[in-house]
Amino acid sequence: MTVTGKRIIVTGGSRGISAAAIAAFTEAGAQVAVLGISEEPGRRLAEKVSAEGPGTATYYRADVSDVAGTRQTLDLAVRALGGLDALVNVAGVEMHAPAESLSEEDWDHVFAVNTKGTFFTTQAALPHLKEHGGCVINFASDVALVPYPNGAHYSAAKGAVHSLTRTLAAEWGGHGIRVNAVNPMMWTDGYENYRARMSPDELAAHDAQQVHVIPLGGKLGDPSGDLAPVLKFLVSDDARFITGQIISVNGGAVQVR
């Protein structure tokens, strides 16, 4: 499952799942370009993981909803890496509102980052990946597979990522490019903030529900211990015959059908 020497771009910046992925890749000896909008945390993370080695990371400021700007930044990062072996599209945004009160602005923003950003960043990577093959990992969500009250725009955007993943896998397989998606259910900073907004009774009810919903462990997974190994596998040559798949890393909470 080696990724030593792989040249990888990770979008989404410096926190949560992105940070865990970047750390895992560099610990395994990969060369990573970090694309995100939070400049100071992104630079700090890149410096930290590079100091720990053996791989390296370099931060580039990019907003994936800015298609032209992201394309320019991605090209710059690929030149610095000396090529590209994998693109990991972690960048995303989640907002909550009842469907009847969703504004056009909220809908467009969620799609601009989660769907448009994922597609056009991947399209920008295509010329580089076509040189010798490689892989794309898109980040979707299990909420695209089940009802998600108060998140119609988010679930729809992630459902589009599922469809996009399968279509690009079919179109680009002839170039030796694998395209897969992961649906993570991970314990992140954002989830900590969500928990902090609950009352003690709400939190107790929530945790009891998690025990019932998630067969393995009864709570959300750890980005470093549970998700990062899956990402390393998908980037590695050991996954050379896997493409067009939606892979849920969720402790069994939702099954892909």
Side-chain angles (χ1 to χ4, degrees):
M1 238 170 50
T2 180
V3 298
T4 302
K6 294 283 189 184
R7 299 157 299 181
I8 305 170
I9 289 178
V10 179
T11 71
S14 58
R15 296 189 305 165
I17 289 171
S18 294
I22 292 159
F25 291 143
T26 55
E27 286 171 6
Q31 311 305 310
V32 181
V34 181
L35 273 59
I37 60 174
S38 299
E39 187 164 355
E40 185 58 32
R43 292 191 186 282
R44 286 200 305 268
L45 174 65
E47 291 170 359
K48 177 179 182 293
V49 298
S50 295
E52 294 170 350
T56 62
T58 304
Y59 171 81
Y60 299 84
R61 191 184 188 287
D63 177 353
V64 298
S65 66
D66 174 5
V67 174
T70 298
R71 185 178 297 273
Q72 292 176 352
T73 303
L74 186 143
D75 288 344
L76 175 65
V78 172
R79 286 197 297 271
L81 290 169
L84 184 64
D85 299 299
L87 169 65
V88 184
N89 284 310
V90 186
V93 61
E94 183 173 4
M95 301 172 66
H96 299 93
E100 66 268 20
S101 63
L102 273 178
S103 69
E104 182 179 2
E105 290 76 17
D106 287 345
W107 182 276
D108 288 346
H109 177 59
V110 167
F111 268 78
V113 177
N114 293 304
T115 308
K116 177 182 172 182
T118 293
F119 172 70
F120 283 104
T121 303
T122 304
Q123 186 189 65
L126 175 61
H128 307 292
L129 293 172
K130 283 174 67 174
E131 293 179 4
H132 52 76
C135 78
V136 175
I137 303 174
N138 292 326
F139 269 67
S141 175
D142 285 331
V143 303
L145 306 173
V146 296
Y148 191 51
N150 298 315
H153 47 345
Y154 182 71
S155 62
K158 291 302 187 178
V161 172
H162 284 175
S163 296
L164 173 65
T165 296
R166 293 181 172 116
T167 298
L168 295 184
E171 288 192 19
W172 295 355
H175 301 299
I177 300 171
R178 298 177 289 108
V179 186
N180 293 292
V182 294
N183 295 349
M185 287 184 65
M186 297 293 122
W187 195 302
T188 63
D189 292 343
Y191 179 58
E192 284 280 8
N193 293 335
Y194 171 70
R195 293 173 61 84
R197 294 192 295 270
M198 296 183 189
S199 69
D201 288 344
E202 290 172 335
L203 187 59
H206 173 76
D207 287 345
Q209 181 189 43
Q210 295 292 82
V211 170
H212 174 71
V213 168
I214 304 174
L216 291 178
K219 62 180 180 180
L220 300 188
D222 173 61
S224 297
D226 298 319
L227 180 61
V230 177
L231 301 180
K232 287 193 290 185
F233 168 68
L234 291 174
V235 166
S236 78
D237 294 338
D238 289 341
R240 63 188 176 273
F241 204 55
I242 299 175
T243 195
Q245 303 305 307
I246 312 300
I247 301 167
S248 286
V249 188
N250 62 13
V254 177
Q255 291 79 42
V256 177
R257 293 180 173 85

